[in-house]
Amino acid sequence: MKTIQIDITKAAQFLTPGAIEALEPQVKAAHASLENGTCPGNDFLGWLHLPSSTTADFLADLKATAATLRENCDTIVVAGIGGSYLGARAIIEALSNSFQWLLGEKKNPVILFAGNNISEDYLSELCDYLRGRNFGVINISKSGTTTETALAFRLLKRQCEQQRGKDMARRVIVAITDARRGAARTTADKEGYKSFVIPDNVGGRFSVLTPVGLLPIACAGFDIDQLIAGAQDMEKACGPDTPLAQNPAALYAACRNALYAAGKKVEILVNYQPKLHYMNEWWKQLYGESEGKDGKGIFPAAVDFTTDLHSMGQWIQEGERTIFETVISVETPEHELHFPDDDENLDGLNFLAGKRIDEVNKMAELGTQLAHVDGGVPNLRISMPRLDAYYLGQLIYFFELGCGISGNILGVNTFNQPGVEAYKRNMFALLDKPGYEAESKAIRARLNQ
Ligand code: PA5
């Protein structure tokens, strides 16, 4: 099997010759500190060898649970936020038919997402949609206390019990949470839900290859064995003894740090396949939450091309030169469709007639790369043979390891997210949460100034 490749030549030309190679000792040290558990946040390194330690029995349990949900549900709502949501959505959207919603085929349940916002309209409309449907719920929260997810779960649990009865609700509600702590665990144990554990040593944004991602993906009808197989092969390909030039994840980490040191403060992840939109979102969280701290870190942005060439293209071509691009290029599409011939040729496009549409897309990609490089934007290109479960497994592990190494080179604790608490403290103070009395008083005084 091929592995995902990274081409750094069009980024290296913006750096002093040898700048990336010179980082090899630092990259090796950063990688070794993940392997030997000496880096900051070392109690969250469970993801590092997760693919190779995933057993067939474990996957069988997940598949059996997914089968129960698929048999009993026409719709499955996945409640979760951040790392408890984005990975599953990224893979499901990447593998789904673009018009899944409208196909009306009964082979797979409709997968919906909730618990990732506090919008009254979203939740009302979701509850309306679910009325009369045989829906199930996967409630995902590592802490078990996240407000967005807990709110959605309250609504969904009540509606599921009312519509389907307590016994059936017990069969079609599954919890994925901590082994011991948190309200999601307490509820699951009290109600007797089937549950899966998020390992203590795997943080949310590194958890897509745990039940957090695997159960929703299996429920959607996709091959989690292949996903894990891809991740396992990438784990092998990126071992700590692999030289930098042959280790795609280490090379990515080295290159982005060299660019950052050269003043490139923003990384734009680019795809040419709309199905990768949520992969962009997952990646933004992975890198943003891991590296953005201590006043440091590349800002992760993302665009969908060619769509966003008609919105953000101008800025990328001629705006402030503090950016670089990382392009995910899918080599072979899953379908074959040719540019149509037209007798009248009113749009003047008959010169394209008969070409694969993907060839046109690839020329847009190449033309954009050349234009952006000419415009002063370094370009990294990740080449992925196909958009299938196996290569998505590779891509996930590639980005996770790249992030682990990159954060260590940057010198931050890659695995914590202390900054996320700031908004929660203010929100709870404003909402008069018990225990926040002093904060409530202080925040009101501040607002009344
Ligand atoms: O990566 C992270 O740790 C976060 O994004 C969490 O996944 C997110 O805040 C949700 O947390 P929880 O799973 O505890 O509800």
Side-chain angles (χ1 to χ4, degrees):
M1 274 292 185
K2 292 193 331 193
T3 48
I4 284 172
Q5 299 294 316
I6 180 161
D7 181 354
I8 62 162
T9 48
K10 293 209 162 32
Q13 70 188 69
F14 289 86
L15 298 165
T16 48
I20 294 169
E21 294 75 3
L23 279 176
E24 182 149 12
Q26 254 179 285
V27 175
K28 287 275 169 210
H31 198 164
S33 69
L34 291 173
E35 287 289 341
N36 58 31
T38 53
C39 62
N42 55 5
D43 39 356
F44 286 101
L45 293 173
W47 57 274
L48 188 61
H49 294 299
L50 195 60
S52 56
S53 54
T54 301
T55 64
D57 282 353
F58 179 68
L59 292 174
D61 188 14
L62 283 162
K63 285 184 273 184
T65 305
T68 303
L69 286 167
R70 285 167 62 83
E71 272 159 31
N72 291 292
C73 304
D74 52 33
T75 308
I76 296 170
V77 187
V78 180
I81 193 168
S84 291
Y85 148 68
L86 285 164
R89 187 158 195 178
I91 301 297
I92 291 171
E93 300 232 343
L95 293 174
S96 293
N97 185 295
S98 306
F99 303 96
Q100 185 80 16
W101 279 95
L102 306 171
L103 286 176
E105 46 111 91
K106 298 278 178 255
K107 203 170 84 202
N108 292 306
V110 172
I111 308 290
L112 300 175
F113 296 90
N116 54 65
N117 61 62
I118 319 180
S119 164
E120 189 164 340
D121 287 345
Y122 184 93
L123 289 165
S124 301
E125 289 164 15
L126 175 68
C127 292
D128 286 349
Y129 176 83
L130 293 173
R131 208 148 289 135
R133 293 182 199 271
N134 289 328
F135 76 93
V137 184
I138 305 177
N139 185 35
I140 309 178
S141 178
K142 187 170 185 199
S143 63
T145 56
T146 302
T147 309
E148 289 88 339
T149 308
L151 162 65
F153 186 65
R154 275 193 182 207
L155 290 165
L156 293 166
K157 176 178 184 288
R158 189 178 59 185
Q159 189 168 341
C160 188
E161 287 171 353
Q162 281 167 355
Q163 279 179 209
R164 309 203 64 185
K166 268 244 173 202
D167 283 347
M168 182 51 98
R170 230 172 259 127
R171 299 194 66 197
V172 296
I173 297 178
V174 177
I176 303 177
T177 187
D178 187 85
R180 295 168 294 277
R181 287 177 302 265
R185 168 54 56 202
T186 313
T187 310
D189 290 348
K190 180 175 161 284
E191 299 286 354
Y193 300 149
K194 170 78 180 170
S195 67
F196 291 93
V197 169
I198 307 174
D200 279 346
N201 61 358
V202 180
R205 58 191 174 276
F206 286 84
S207 70
V208 53
L209 299 177
T210 73
V212 168
L214 296 176
L215 183 64
I217 294 165
C219 285
F222 299 119
D223 190 339
I224 57 174
D225 295 335
Q226 279 301 302
L227 191 77
I228 293 292
Q232 285 171 343
D233 285 350
M234 189 47 79
E235 185 187 328
K236 272 189 223 131
C238 297
D241 298 327
T242 312
L244 177 60
Q246 275 105 60
N247 184 332
L251 202 51
Y252 175 53
C255 208
R256 61 198 300 284
N257 273 281
L259 290 164
Y260 183 58
K264 305 299 178 189
K265 307 287 188 198
V266 179
E267 177 176 9
I268 305 177
L269 189 71
V270 179
N271 68 64
Y272 282 81
Q273 304 292 340
K275 289 181 183 191
L276 285 174
H277 177 80
Y278 270 92
M279 185 55 73
N280 284 359
E281 297 303 306
W282 172 79
W283 171 88
K284 279 198 297 196
Q285 189 213 353
L286 181 64
Y287 280 79
E289 217 168 63
S290 297
E291 292 192 320
K293 52 196 72 156
D294 304 339
K296 297 194 271 192
I298 294 170
F299 182 83
V303 289
D304 303 317
F305 283 171
T306 60
T307 313
D308 291 334
L309 283 171
H310 298 257
S311 63
M312 293 303 291
Q314 171 62 36
W315 200 102
I316 295 170
Q317 188 69 45
E318 295 183 348
E320 197 179 348
R321 301 298 74 185
T322 48
I323 57 172
F324 66 98
E325 284 179 315
T326 299
V327 177
I328 302 177
S329 180
V330 179
E331 286 167 28
T332 311
E334 300 301 305
H335 302 281
E336 186 167 340
L337 186 64
H338 296 259
F339 210 103
D341 188 30
D342 187 276
D343 285 347
E344 293 193 88
N345 195 27
L346 292 177
D347 54 13
L349 291 177
N350 267 356
F351 74 101
L352 296 174
K355 282 191 195 299
R356 293 275 302 260
I357 289 176
D358 191 60
E359 191 184 335
V360 181
N361 202 24
K362 290 289 188 301
M363 290 310 107
E365 183 187 321
L366 182 57
T368 305
Q369 184 198 54
L370 294 171
H372 288 182
V373 169
D374 287 347
V377 182
N379 183 287
L380 297 167
R381 186 169 180 273
I382 296 165
S383 176
M384 185 176 171
R386 291 181 55 181
L387 199 49
D388 63 13
Y390 174 77
Y391 286 113
L392 284 165
Q394 285 200 11
L395 188 68
I396 282 172
Y397 191 80
F398 162 83
F399 276 136
E400 287 183 348
L401 183 59
C403 185
I405 297 173
S406 189
N408 281 350
I409 298 173
L410 186 67
V412 295
N413 179 341
T414 312
F415 307 106
N416 67 3
Q417 53 283 329
V420 179
E421 296 309 311
Y423 97 89
K424 293 185 195 168
R425 277 195 302 274
N426 287 344
M427 179 177 79
F428 290 141
L430 289 164
L431 289 167
D432 296 312
K433 182 173 177 173
Y436 280 71
E437 290 75 12
E439 285 91 341
S440 296
K441 209 169 149 203
I443 206 162
R444 287 201 207 296
R446 186 174 147 194
L447 292 174
N448 291 333
Q449 266 168 16

